[in-house]
Structures are given as C-alpha cells and as structure tokens.
Amino acid sequence: MPLDISAELPPTQLTGVARMLVRAGHLDHKTAQSLSELALQRGGRFIATALSAGAIKAADLAHALSADLNLPLVDLDAVDVHQLPTQVLDPKLAQQYQLLVLGRRGNRVSIGCADPTNAEAAERVKFSSQLTPDWVVVEHDKLTRLLEARHANANQALESLAGGEIDFDVQDETEASSTTPDQGAEVEDTPVVRFIQKMLIDAINQRASDLHFEPYEQTYRVRFRVDGELREVAQPPLAIKDKLASRIKVISRLDIAEKRVPQDGRMKLKFGTKSIDFRVSTLPTLFGEKIVIRILDPSSAKLGIEALGYEPVEKERLLKAIHRPYGMILVTGPTGSGKTVSLYTCLNLLNQPGVNISTVEDPAEINLPGINQVNVNDKAGLTFSAALKSFLRQDPDIIMVGEIRDLETADIAIKAAQTGHLVMSTLHTNDAPTTLTRLLNMGVAPFNIASSVLLITAQRLARRLCEQCKVPVQHPQEALQQAGFTTDDLDGSWQAYKAVGCAACSSGFRGRVGLYQVMPLSEEIQRIILAHGSALDIAAQARRDGVRDLRQAGLQKVRAGMTSLEEVMLVTNE
C-alpha cells in the first residue's frame, strides 16, 4: 500500500515528498516550504504544485520518488500503449487520479502514476477494481500526454464519423415494434450511431465477413472475422452496451423491448453510391445481448468462377454439369466454407432473361436481380419442402434449395431433378463420397440418387498468402511426403512459401482461396450406389476416375504458391 506521507502535517512543516526532494538536492528548504504552503492553500497535492510552478522537472521528480520509495521506474516512451489493458479501471477514476494500468496478474494490478503517495487513489483503486495495486513511478508529463491522447481517441471513436457520406436505410422508428417514447429517446444517441457506422465501415475496409459485439461482466469488446479468424478491434465503454444493442435492433427492424429470446433481422448501409446488406442476429447472454452482424456483399457472387479458385479440370466439370437441362448438383462442406457463394456464382452464370430461377433459403443472404428468392418461415409453415412444392407449380427451370435437412425435402428435390428441372442444394458433409451415403442414410432410394445426382462438390476455404511478405521455405522431404506429395511431385520445379506478416496483412495472409473436390457421378459410381456400397468404395472409384480429394487440391495450391503447407494441413485435417 502506498505511504500517505503528506497527511496531518502543520503547514509550517515540510511534507514527506518535500523533505525527500530537499534531501536529494532538487529543492532548497525555503522553496520546498513555500510550495508546501501553496499546495495547502489550493487544496492540491505538493507534487502537482511543484510541477506546475516549474520548481522541478518531471524526470527528476520521478527518479527521486523511485529511489526514495523503492518503487520501479518505467519510461512510458518504451511502452507499447496499444497492448496495455484498457478495462481494468473505471476510465473516470483513471482520469481523475492520473493512473495508467500497465498490467495485471491474478488479483494484483500494476499501475503507473506520477504521485504514488496518494493514499486516496489507492483506496479508490482497491474498492473499484477489487484488486491490489502495485505502484510504478512514471514521468508526469509523459503520463499526461498519453492519457489525453487515449481520451481523445476514445471520444473520436464515439463522436466522429469514419469518413465519407453514409446513411442507414431504415424505416421510420415509429414502425419498429414495441418502441415506446422513452426507448426511442434512448436510442437516439448520436455518438452511438456514429460508433456503429464506424465499426461497419472499418469491417468493410478490412474485408471482414462478420462483426461480433460481445458484452461481459467487466468489459465490452468488438471483434471482426477476417479471413476466417476473429480479431479484436475495439473495447467501447461497458456503459453503452444497451444503447448499442437498442440502436442496432431499431435499424434491423427488431423488437427492442424483447431481450429474453434471440432475434434475427437485416439492415442496409448506404456508403456513397454503394449499398451493402447486413444480416443481424441477437443472443441473450449473462451480461447483455451479444450481436453478430454478417456482411452480405452481392458483388461476391459476380466475381466469376475463375475468382473462386477452381483448377481448369474442376471448372470444366462444374460448368458442364450446370448447363445440363435437368438433374441435381450438390455443394458440401462445413459452415463458412463458401457454399453459398459457389452456388450463387453458378446461378449468376445461368441467370438469363429466358430462364426462370427460384431459390428457397434460411435466410437469403445474397440478393440477385432476376432470381425469385424465398425465405423459410417455419412459424408460418413455409418450410423447405413446402416452398419446393410451390416452386413446382411456378414453372421453374432452375431451383436452388438452401439446404437439404430431411427426407421430405430430399425426396421433393430429387423428384424435381427427375422431372426436367436443374436442382442445386447444399449438405453438411466432409467430402463428396460421404454425401451419397448421407442421402442413403436419410432414406433416399439408391436408384433415385443414381438417376438424379449429376455432380457433387466438396469445398474448404484456405487463407491466401500475402503476396507482399511471403517468403520461400524449405520443408523436409519426409514432411512433404507425409502431407501427401508423391515422389514425382518433389521434382524441384516448384517452391513452397510461408506466412510472415506485414503492414498490409498483419498475419501473413490476405484473402482466401477455395479447395475443391469435384466429383461427377460416373457409371461406375452409380453401380456402387445401386449395390449399397460404402463411402470408401465410392472414394476409391472417384480416385480411379481422376477426382482429387481436398488434401490433394490443397497441395496443388501449395505448389502454386497460393497458400502454405501448414494452412492446408489445418484446413483438410478431417
């Protein structure tokens, strides 16, 4: 605990700090006594009075306090302030007593200050944080500049726009359900609105796919998912968590009075001439509502099939299948593997004035003009199977089903594929061969699968190496062979690369590239299905047909220098 060496002393006597500075030769006795009396008259601390009067330099004062009180001395110029904890102390308390949290371990917190003799500050810190402070001496001028800059940055994040003319496309707030006058006033908080706009624009500029607003007991953080990885980007004040949630819910046309159950909505941000859609999901947690916003960029479906990363042979197989007049095409992979983008890229190629395309999704993520899109509504009875039945009465040419979840949906989709329609859908399976056995396990008849399914694509997304900082790397030959390279592959004609990290990417990766297993159903595979063969039998026949698995597709990207061997091993480690 810091020593209160300035309390209860007569005005004619020197305080402990004054005596300390006199002993160290920084002040004479008369000057020290005058400063002590002046501090008493002003009701301030001796240290602040001495510094404001210019009687001593901040550096000399810090060295004297450190030596006399036997406390560590830290130069703030050598500290990376961006790595310091920001939510351990109440910001108002830190500003009032000029305190800077330098670190925390267990129930102890290391605090930098220019006046470690302030007993009142010590008690307030203990009470507020429930932690034991360990004091560190820092120079007063450097501490003041740092705290002022941090305060200005916090205000700028909440009170200034991120640049550019932006606006939310939102209905009149009186239309939002259950909005009372008090609630409407609560969410009309301009700094909060601007902070949300800043986060959305930063996410777009950083190529993020999702934003996470996460409340905890003592902190509130915002994270972006960039190239599949979550990165913390901000820690706004915990006090604004309810205002943030309310404002986002109003913009998304959600019920701001309902905080007990999850809700889903959408919103749109106009950014100059560009308009971007967002899907919003709220979730009640222990300490408030967590909100996840997914960025839905329609331009991702218009990049073209070349931008997705298909190898020439795989692209040819896929294009041949999607131009067939009828049949079923399935895209498989885990959540977040890019299945929707692949399907919409194919639909964009097929979207012509003479073609009737209908889709049913939960929910529709990408809006494409010329395509009839339907959202599933289970409460109203609009399920995948119900929408499919309705589609068949709408004279469709191409049908896209967001996901085959049950036997009824699978049966209707297969019958549609058998009766002159091209059907596209997704399944959550690990690879192409296991997709066929998944359909069999659902209860679909083998002859229906063999006669309707044209092609199955399994896919993953691997992070793409940053072209500005990737460097060559030499892997041991044993490691390469263990990863799946053959002896013929290791002919020295290609170079592997590894991630480093630079200002342009920060992680060594920038963007993602697709790994694909494109498996047409050959006559031999159809025979295996009719004979109730296993996924292993189908996989073996696919290899004989020249179909590469996901690991081999990833190794091809390593040979091309697009990604690293470690990334491929991680993504394809089933």
Side-chain angles (χ1 to χ4, degrees):
M1 172 153 180
L3 303 174
D4 186 12
I5 55 180
S6 60
E8 299 180 0
L9 290 173
T12 55
Q13 295 185 8
L14 295 183
T15 66
V17 176
R19 288 196 302 270
M20 183 192 315
L21 295 177
V22 170
R23 286 197 304 269
H26 293 295
L27 294 177
D28 57 58
H29 189 277
K30 183 178 180 180
T31 301
Q33 185 169 337
S34 298
L35 290 171
S36 297
E37 293 175 353
L38 182 61
L40 188 63
Q41 292 172 6
R42 294 179 175 178
R45 307 285 299 175
F46 174 85
I47 288 177
T49 304
L51 288 170
S52 63
I56 187 172
K57 294 181 179 179
D60 294 337
L61 173 62
H63 281 84
L65 289 172
S66 173
D68 203 280
L69 299 175
N70 195 26
L71 293 175
L73 174 66
V74 170
D75 183 3
L76 291 181
D77 288 339
V79 174
D80 184 358
V81 295
H82 300 292
Q83 301 298 323
L84 297 181
T86 57
Q87 298 293 327
V88 177
L89 282 186
D90 182 347
K92 292 182 180 180
L93 178 66
Q95 193 72 22
Q96 178 183 355
Y97 292 101
Q98 297 288 282
L99 307 175
L100 179 68
V101 177
L102 299 175
R104 176 182 175 179
R105 170 176 282 185
N107 65 344
R108 306 191 71 87
V109 57
S110 178
I111 298 179
C113 65
D115 185 4
T117 65
N118 192 338
E120 181 184 349
E123 293 302 322
R124 290 288 303 277
V125 167
K126 276 188 176 182
F127 179 79
S128 173
S129 66
Q130 297 299 303
L131 300 172
T132 301
D134 293 324
W135 298 97
V136 176
V137 181
V138 297
E139 296 172 40
H140 182 272
D141 53 349
K142 295 179 180 179
L143 176 64
T144 302
R145 286 197 301 270
L146 192 153
L147 291 175
E148 288 177 351
R150 175 174 284 188
H151 183 66
N153 289 339
N155 284 342
Q156 183 179 11
L158 288 174
E159 296 178 3
S160 65
L161 291 171
E165 293 297 325
I166 60 177
D167 188 22
F168 286 107
D169 183 13
V170 58
Q171 65 181 14
D172 189 336
E173 289 181 6
T174 58
E175 298 178 18
S177 57
S178 302
T179 304
T180 65
D182 290 341
Q183 291 166 330
E186 177 189 5
V187 297
E188 279 297 328
D189 194 321
T190 301
V192 170
V193 175
R194 291 176 174 174
F195 178 75
I196 295 171
Q197 292 173 328
K198 180 184 189 312
M199 289 295 99
L200 293 176
I201 292 178
D202 285 351
I204 294 168
N205 291 335
Q206 294 182 33
R207 305 170 294 105
S209 61
D210 301 86
L211 298 85
H212 292 241
F213 295 83
E214 302 171 315
Y216 298 97
E217 186 174 12
Q218 301 292 338
T219 61
Y220 189 81
R221 68 178 178 181
V222 181
R223 294 192 291 175
F224 295 168
R225 187 176 293 279
V226 182
D227 296 336
E229 281 191 328
L230 280 173
R231 303 176 184 175
E232 184 173 325
V233 295
Q235 285 195 355
L238 187 62
I240 71 169
K241 66 176 183 179
D242 292 330
K243 291 184 178 181
L244 273 172
S246 296
R247 186 63 197 178
I248 291 173
K249 288 163 75 173
V250 166
I251 298 169
S252 309
R253 300 171 174 85
L254 299 177
D255 185 350
I256 66 173
E258 180 56 78
K259 301 180 180 181
R260 302 165 298 174
V261 296
Q263 298 186 66
D264 294 294
R266 298 174 75 96
M267 63 184 180
K268 181 177 290 187
L269 180 67
K270 295 178 180 178
F271 184 27
T273 60
K274 191 174 183 180
S275 182
I276 297 178
D277 290 316
F278 300 87
R279 190 178 76 193
V280 180
S281 173
T282 70
L283 179 70
T285 67
L286 287 177
F287 305 107
E289 287 183 286
K290 175 184 177 180
I291 298 176
V292 175
I293 301 177
R294 170 156 289 188
I295 301 174
L296 308 174
D297 190 355
S299 62
S300 61
K302 301 179 181 179
L303 295 175
I305 198 167
E306 292 79 9
L308 298 183
Y310 283 92
E311 296 296 328
V313 174
E314 297 164 346
K315 182 176 71 172
E316 182 182 352
R317 290 172 182 164
L318 180 61
L319 291 176
K320 182 179 178 181
I322 67 174
H323 285 98
R324 294 276 291 273
Y326 58 88
M328 177 179 283
I329 296 170
L330 296 173
V331 179
T332 73
T335 301
S337 59
K339 300 187 297 297
T340 300
V341 171
S342 293
L343 282 176
Y344 267 96
T345 300
C346 294
L347 290 178
N348 193 51
L349 293 173
L350 300 171
N351 188 15
Q352 303 296 330
V355 180
N356 180 18
I357 302 176
S358 296
T359 73
V360 54
E361 302 166 78
D362 185 21
E365 295 187 358
I366 298 174
N367 180 26
L368 279 184
I371 294 179
N372 307 293
Q373 297 172 280
V374 176
N375 274 340
V376 166
N377 188 339
D378 290 324
K379 291 182 179 179
L382 182 56
T383 61
F384 280 115
S385 57
L388 271 175
K389 290 176 182 177
S390 179
F391 283 172
L392 295 177
R393 297 188 290 272
Q394 292 279 318
D395 186 31
D397 297 304
I398 300 171
I399 297 172
M400 197 271 272
V401 185
E403 182 184 351
I404 293 179
R405 297 177 177 174
D406 51 49
L407 177 59
E408 185 181 9
T409 304
D411 273 337
I412 300 172
I414 284 176
K415 288 176 182 175
Q418 291 172 333
T419 55
H421 308 92
L422 183 65
V423 179
M424 300 182 184
S425 188
T426 70
L427 275 173
H428 288 91
T429 56
N430 290 331
D431 58 15
T434 55
T435 304
L436 295 171
T437 55
R438 173 68 61 84
L439 290 173
L440 288 170
N441 292 336
M442 278 186 180
V444 181
F447 63 85
N448 282 334
I449 298 175
S451 63
S452 60
V453 179
L454 301 174
L455 177 137
I456 302 173
T457 295
Q459 65 181 69
R460 299 289 188 277
L461 291 177
R463 292 179 296 170
R464 189 189 292 266
L465 286 169
C466 175
E467 293 294 335
Q468 297 187 28
C469 65
K470 69 178 183 180
V471 297
V473 61
Q474 297 296 330
H475 294 290
Q477 189 163 356
E478 296 78 8
L480 294 173
Q481 290 177 335
Q482 188 176 4
F485 284 108
T486 64
T487 305
D488 293 338
D489 293 331
L490 304 177
D491 55 6
S493 62
W494 55 276
Q495 174 64 58
Y497 292 86
K498 69 175 182 178
V500 177
C502 63
C505 65
S506 75
S507 64
F509 298 93
R510 185 173 178 82
R512 290 193 285 181
V513 63
L515 312 181
Y516 302 96
Q517 179 187 27
V518 181
M519 187 183 80
L521 259 67
S522 63
E523 291 183 2
E524 290 77 11
I525 292 178
Q526 290 174 347
R527 291 192 186 99
I528 294 173
I529 296 170
L530 292 172
H532 297 273
S534 67
L536 293 176
D537 298 330
I538 298 171
Q541 181 58 49
R543 285 193 294 270
R544 290 192 290 270
D545 292 340
V547 176
R548 293 184 303 186
D549 60 23
L550 289 167
R551 172 63 63 83
Q552 292 170 332
L555 296 180
Q556 179 64 30
K557 296 297 189 290
V558 174
R559 292 187 61 173
M562 294 183 182
T563 189
S564 66
L565 181 63
E566 294 80 7
E567 178 71 6
V568 168
M569 296 288 286
L570 178 66
V571 171
T572 61
N573 185 21
E574 304 297 348

